[in-house]
Amino acid sequence: MASTFATASTVVGLGSSSLSSPKTKTTTLSSGFLKSSVSVRNPLKQARASGGRFTCFERDWLRRDFNVIGFGLIGWLAPSSIPVIDGKSLTGLFFDSIGAELAHFPTPPALTSQFWLWLVTWHLGLFIVLTFGQIGFKGRTDQYF
């Protein structure tokens, strides 16, 4: 039994010359991520250094707009100021916790302080509103919807 497994056999098609393919034409691959052979005269000015190829991102990809920041801040302050947490608002609780922590200023807030909960919750809501505001405002400007 052991002798049948120990015998060497060739697998047809792997490494045999009978199934080798005829010579094919070699193709060269090019990529937009590799530098092209275009030489740039001024190394500080890289305009059109990619040979005029399509780039993935616009130069001003953030497209900052102060309308989004203003309306987003107002759009978060208004609902977060509604008193729904035991008759207090999220903004009020956050600002009260800031005042309580500033009362013993040189000492930092304890890890068990409610300040951290209100800080994370308030800022998470703000950043979500700003993100959706950016998407909505720029989507409307670019006529996506």
Side-chain angles (χ1 to χ4, degrees):
M1 185 75 162
S3 64
T4 44
F5 290 118
T7 59
S9 63
T10 59
V11 177
V12 177
L14 296 178
S16 64
S17 62
S18 61
L19 293 178
S20 63
S21 62
K23 291 195 174 201
T24 60
K25 185 170 66 171
T26 60
T27 58
T28 58
L29 300 175
S30 63
S31 172
F33 295 107
L34 299 175
K35 289 186 177 182
S36 65
S37 60
V38 176
S39 62
V40 179
R41 293 181 184 174
N42 183 358
L44 298 176
K45 185 176 181 182
Q46 296 283 331
R48 310 232 345 132
S50 62
R53 293 189 181 115
F54 176 76
T55 57
C56 296
F57 295 104
E58 296 177 13
R59 184 175 179 95
D60 185 24
W61 62 270
L62 182 60
R63 298 169 53 199
R64 180 181 54 185
D65 191 357
F66 294 116
N67 289 329
V68 175
I69 295 171
F71 288 128
L73 185 62
I74 292 169
W76 175 240
L77 279 175
S80 68
S81 297
I82 299 172
V84 293
I85 305 171
D86 294 331
K88 296 183 179 180
S89 66
L90 179 62
T91 303
L93 288 169
F94 177 50
F95 290 161
D96 288 343
S97 68
I98 291 174
E101 295 301 330
L102 283 176
H104 54 83
F105 168 63
T107 308
L111 290 176
T112 58
S113 174
Q114 286 287 318
F115 167 75
W116 299 111
L117 174 67
W118 305 134
L119 174 96
V120 169
T121 306
W122 196 86
H123 282 92
L124 183 68
L126 176 66
F127 296 147
I128 289 172
V129 168
L130 288 175
T131 300
F132 284 134
Q134 179 78 359
I135 292 169
F137 193 85
K138 293 302 175 181
R140 175 75 75 169
T141 303
D142 293 344
Q143 297 177 349
Y144 284 116
F145 40 85

